[in-house]
Amino acid sequence: MKLKKLKGKPASPGITSGKIVILDEDHLNIEDKNIHPENIDGEIEKLLRAIEITRKELIQIRNNVNKTIGIEKGAIFDTHIMFLQDKILLNRIIDKIKNTRKSADFVFYNEMKRIQNILENSKEEYIKDRALDIKDVKRRVIRNIQGISPRKFLFSNENVILVCYELTPSEAISLNKKNILGFVTELGGQTSHVAILARSLELPCVVGIPDLMKKIKPDDTLIIDGNRGEIIINPSSYVNEKYKKYKTDFEKHKIELEKITNLPCVTLDNKKIELSANIEIPEEVQSAISQGAYGIGLFRTEYIYLTKTDLPSEETQFKEYKTIVEKVAPNPVIIRTLDIGGDKFTRSLFHPKEENPFLGWRSIRICLDNPEIFKTQLRAILRASSFGKVKIMFPMISSFEELKKAKWILKQTATKLEKEKIPFDSNIEIGVMIEVPSAVIIAEHLAAEVDFFSIGTNDLVQYTLAADRGNYRVSHLYKFLQPAIIRMIKSIIETGHKKNIWVGMCGEMAGDPISTLLLLGLDIDELSVSPVALTKIKKILLNSRFSEAKLIAEKCLKLKTARQIENYLKKEMLKRFPDLITNYI
Ligand code: PEP
Ligand code: MG
């Protein structure tokens, strides 16, 4: 029989197998109903009442979650509650009910769907995943308008794998997880709530499996391989045995890696590397810390802007930053200022259509052109700095003037806070991302103005090699092991050190095990990687010698092609850490 294997995205590692429970798609019945003019007020009242009931439900869920799971998860519902309190959105819906004379559920549904579509169409996965928050709120309000109760999950006492089209945040959180072996969903990305939940429960999870619901039947059994992001439907006993072995190997390996989680990150010959985590949403902090991150080396702040209908206020931002900073204190959190643009556009304010968005109005350019938006964020970051250790990082700096201007706005903001007697860390470290080739060339001048550099290979590679990071047609050209890139990295680190500042890396290359020995040998001071990569990279660093890594880097610098460099590094890795570059771990 042909092996029925479906591929998705790996969302939480581990391997499990068992029977399944399928949750059907949660259909809302929305009719396009015309309302008699006399009943319009009644319709608006129905909407307001439903919003109020939903608000109370959400407050109750939030309070329960705060008590039982923790305030970090409860904060998801704060976002939902705030969304419901958005006056501009509410007035727009009321006006639409009045002007179109359509029913409250119909208008509310369409307005929410519109926002949901904007988020779903984003290329950024974590923004796409936030569409589910909108959907969650939409369903609750519609049910309360229509007076129907939410879908129920009926589980027996048997252990099962949960299979569904998607799981909203409130469903994911209020689920009885006792008998769940793992999660599999048709929709969703690595930052969806089901993925985050699975990681925090340490249960295997695969998301984003195309046509899953069509291909699976209620009496199927499944294997979830959360490491490779695939599931096997009705495996034969031979395949079952094979996966049992993978599972045993993986678990042994996990135990081994866990032993190093709390060790300081130092090589065998005593070179210290700061190993931190990149996060995109606050819910990721906990798993980053528990997987041994020293601090947060890149906090991407875009989600705050992209998941709100309005520009986030200083207070909203301050609270988000403060929560993270307090959790990580006394260790540092590097907060990167708004890096919107390129492919991260959703809000109408930031929506000019451009021929070349990656070469257009993005990131620091938008902030410098909108000093009020920029200052609001800087105030929030500075205020959060008095609750732990914060560092500010400016993205996409391509010239000296840009850095000076950004620093000048920061200075003005700090002076104003001082006058208002609002506390902040006046010695806050300032850094720039080195992700545009021009910044590499003028690194010497930039270094004189800042406390650190963080190399953003994701952009640096696309701008240097002229290969769009999101275009699959040129993905074979987009390679961080190209000699041009590793020479640039060498030059950035050397220039930084000459000017006595530390140099880190927060692009994806930092979390790629094949590159670790090379980066160590080039004398990098800090690596910031996605939380799942932390232990792998740490194991390599703890068991390597800086002196040997330097020789490896020297050899790489002599090679002429990315293929040669990659093969050489793979060979060196296979000699030292064969378990880390197999497919399963
Ligand atoms: C980078 O460009 O390497 C980076 C870390 O930033 P982003 O991926 O958010 O552009
Ligand atoms: Mg970047």
Side-chain angles (χ1 to χ4, degrees):
M1 202 170 63
K2 199 170 165 290
L3 183 66
K4 202 161 169 198
K5 195 191 269 183
L6 305 181
K7 216 66 202 118
K9 296 174 199 147
S12 177
I15 293 161
T16 192
S17 60
K19 289 194 176 163
I20 60 169
V21 161
I22 301 181
L23 297 180
D24 289 331
E25 222 215 308
D26 192 17
H27 288 295
L28 292 172
N29 196 4
I30 309 290
E31 282 176 42
D32 181 353
K33 287 185 295 260
N34 289 321
I35 301 295
H36 194 276
E38 271 177 17
N39 296 335
I40 298 245
D41 285 347
E43 212 57 26
I44 293 171
E45 229 170 79
K46 231 199 266 176
L47 170 76
L48 296 177
R49 210 172 28 236
I51 288 182
E52 188 49 24
I53 298 172
T54 310
R55 203 177 65 84
K56 286 189 181 144
E57 282 173 5
L58 289 171
I59 290 175
Q60 203 179 357
I61 298 182
R62 184 205 48 204
N63 295 348
N64 281 344
V65 172
N66 281 353
K67 260 192 259 146
T68 53
I69 309 181
I71 51 170
E72 187 198 322
K73 290 278 181 298
I76 297 169
F77 297 100
D78 280 329
T79 319
H80 292 195
I81 295 165
M82 266 162 45
F83 191 77
L84 278 180
Q85 288 168 340
D86 186 326
K87 286 270 176 303
I88 300 176
L89 178 68
L90 183 63
N91 287 338
R92 195 160 52 221
I93 296 170
I94 292 178
D95 284 348
K96 274 212 172 127
I97 296 178
K98 285 183 188 159
N99 299 337
T100 59
R101 296 187 192 163
K102 297 282 179 192
S103 62
D105 53 354
F106 181 79
V107 174
F108 186 81
Y109 178 87
N110 283 308
E111 192 54 28
M112 297 299 269
K113 187 84 189 127
R114 190 183 63 81
I115 300 172
Q116 199 182 312
N117 286 346
I118 295 175
L119 298 179
E120 273 166 0
N121 287 333
S122 167
K123 283 188 195 157
E124 289 292 311
E125 195 146 286
Y126 69 96
I127 297 166
K128 240 188 217 165
D129 289 340
R130 300 288 76 76
L132 215 47
D133 290 280
I134 305 291
K135 204 165 177 177
D136 203 351
V137 176
K138 180 183 78 186
R139 282 177 177 168
R140 277 187 180 277
V141 174
I142 301 264
R143 283 207 182 89
N144 285 326
I145 296 176
Q146 299 181 343
I148 49 174
S149 48
R151 71 172 164 170
K152 293 248 182 323
F153 306 120
L154 298 171
F155 288 115
S156 63
N157 284 334
E158 228 178 337
N159 290 343
V160 286
I161 290 171
L162 188 71
V163 176
C164 56
Y165 183 69
E166 65 185 351
L167 206 60
T168 63
S170 62
E171 288 173 338
I173 277 176
S174 46
L175 209 63
N176 175 7
K177 288 107 190 163
K178 246 190 15 234
N179 301 319
I180 296 181
L181 296 167
F183 300 92
V184 180
T185 65
E186 180 162 330
L187 284 196
Q190 272 128 344
T191 61
S192 59
H193 291 287
V194 64
I196 294 166
L197 177 79
R199 286 197 290 272
S200 69
L201 295 171
E202 299 193 9
L203 292 176
C205 174
V206 178
V207 296
I209 305 176
D211 295 329
L212 171 71
M213 301 307 273
K214 274 192 220 141
K215 291 178 178 159
I216 211 151
K217 290 185 298 317
D219 52 357
D220 284 341
T221 56
L222 271 195
I223 293 176
I224 309 183
D225 183 344
N227 301 340
R228 295 204 293 180
E230 53 194 34
I231 61 169
I232 291 99
I233 303 175
N234 297 328
S236 63
S237 53
Y238 169 76
V239 173
N240 249 327
E241 283 311 307
K242 199 166 102 181
Y243 274 85
K244 263 191 203 145
K245 164 108 179 53
Y246 292 158
K247 185 176 158 100
T248 324
D249 288 352
F250 173 70
E251 266 151 23
K252 257 200 249 151
H253 182 75
K254 216 172 111 198
I255 294 168
E256 195 208 321
L257 286 184
E258 271 161 12
K259 287 192 209 137
I260 64 171
T261 303
N262 296 317
L263 297 178
C265 194
V266 197
T267 62
L268 291 171
D269 50 357
N270 270 331
K271 178 173 163 69
K272 211 173 137 232
I273 305 271
E274 213 165 272
L275 182 61
S276 289
N278 293 350
I279 58 163
E280 301 191 344
I281 49 172
E283 285 98 326
E284 289 180 297
V285 175
Q286 204 45 53
S287 83
I289 296 173
S290 59
Q291 288 178 78
Y294 172 73
I296 301 299
L298 168 64
F299 172 32
R300 293 180 162 104
T301 56
E302 292 74 64
Y303 86 97
I304 307 179
Y305 293 77
L306 296 168
T307 54
K308 302 240 173 336
T309 49
D310 252 321
L311 278 172
S313 66
E314 177 186 325
E315 210 50 35
T316 304
Q317 295 190 57
F318 165 64
K319 279 194 198 140
E320 298 267 5
Y321 303 150
K322 175 172 172 276
T323 314
I324 295 169
V325 169
E326 283 179 331
K327 272 210 183 103
V328 182
N331 295 351
V333 178
I334 301 182
I335 304 183
R336 178 178 73 182
T337 59
L338 186 59
D339 188 24
I340 212 160
D343 56 356
K344 296 179 229 167
F345 275 119
T346 55
R347 292 183 39 78
S348 52
L349 174 66
F350 301 125
H351 252 289
K353 191 100 191 100
E354 294 182 317
E355 286 296 320
N356 292 302
F358 274 115
L359 302 182
W361 198 54
R362 65 168 292 205
S363 191
I364 196 79
R365 300 169 183 179
I366 294 179
C367 291
L368 296 178
D369 289 348
N370 287 282
E372 288 316 311
I373 296 176
F374 195 31
K375 278 183 193 165
T376 304
Q377 181 175 39
L378 293 174
R379 266 180 81 92
I381 299 175
L382 285 174
R383 283 174 59 197
S385 71
S386 69
F387 294 87
K389 182 90 191 135
V390 174
K391 303 180 188 191
I392 295 186
M393 179 154 78
F394 299 125
M396 270 286 288
I397 294 290
S398 61
S399 69
F400 188 73
E401 302 90 291
E402 262 173 356
L403 175 60
K404 287 299 265 186
K405 211 168 157 192
K407 279 183 69 183
W408 167 239
I409 296 176
L410 177 64
K411 178 126 202 309
Q412 281 179 318
T413 312
T415 311
K416 191 142 186 284
L417 281 176
E418 243 163 41
K419 277 200 193 126
E420 293 169 28
K421 302 210 173 355
I422 297 176
F424 65 93
D425 174 8
S426 53
N427 292 317
I428 193 162
E429 276 188 40
I430 303 168
V432 288
M433 285 195 68
I434 302 291
E435 52 182 345
V436 181
S438 59
V440 181
I441 295 171
I442 58 158
E444 186 193 343
H445 299 315
L446 300 177
E449 293 289 324
V450 293
D451 302 292
F452 66 93
F453 282 162
S454 185
I455 306 173
T457 47
N458 307 348
D459 276 314
L460 187 60
V461 171
Q462 78 163 345
Y463 292 130
T464 306
L465 302 176
D468 181 342
R469 63 196 256 188
N471 183 344
Y472 72 94
R473 287 197 182 87
V474 291
S475 61
H476 61 291
L477 302 175
Y478 184 97
K479 288 213 157 67
F480 42 65
L481 289 178
Q482 274 294 348
I485 303 294
I486 64 170
R487 284 173 192 213
M488 276 183 158
I489 295 170
K490 176 178 189 279
S491 147
I492 301 163
I493 298 172
E494 280 177 357
T495 310
H497 289 175
K498 235 184 264 159
K499 292 283 183 181
N500 296 318
I501 65 167
W502 64 263
V503 183
M505 177 180 285
C506 60
E508 287 303 304
M509 183 180 186
D512 168 42
I514 300 292
S515 308
T516 314
L517 289 170
L518 166 66
L519 297 174
L520 171 67
L522 291 175
D523 205 6
I524 198 94
D525 301 296
E526 181 242 29
L527 293 172
S528 189
V529 306
S530 73
V532 285
L534 281 163
T535 38
K536 282 185 240 175
I537 303 298
K538 192 162 185 178
K539 182 174 173 183
I540 301 171
L541 292 169
L542 291 182
N543 294 291
S544 301
R545 287 185 185 280
F546 178 41
S547 54
E548 266 181 59
K550 274 200 274 198
L551 299 177
I552 291 175
E554 270 169 34
K555 172 89 198 258
C556 287
L557 286 160
K558 288 190 188 122
L559 297 173
K560 293 198 182 87
T561 70
R563 164 84 55 94
Q564 286 168 349
I565 296 173
E566 189 177 336
N567 287 343
Y568 169 63
L569 288 173
K570 269 191 186 154
K571 209 173 77 208
E572 292 299 320
M573 279 298 289
L574 261 175
K575 271 196 248 162
R576 296 168 166 82
F577 308 99
D579 55 333
L580 286 179
I581 52 169
T582 62
N583 275 334
Y584 293 98
I585 293 157

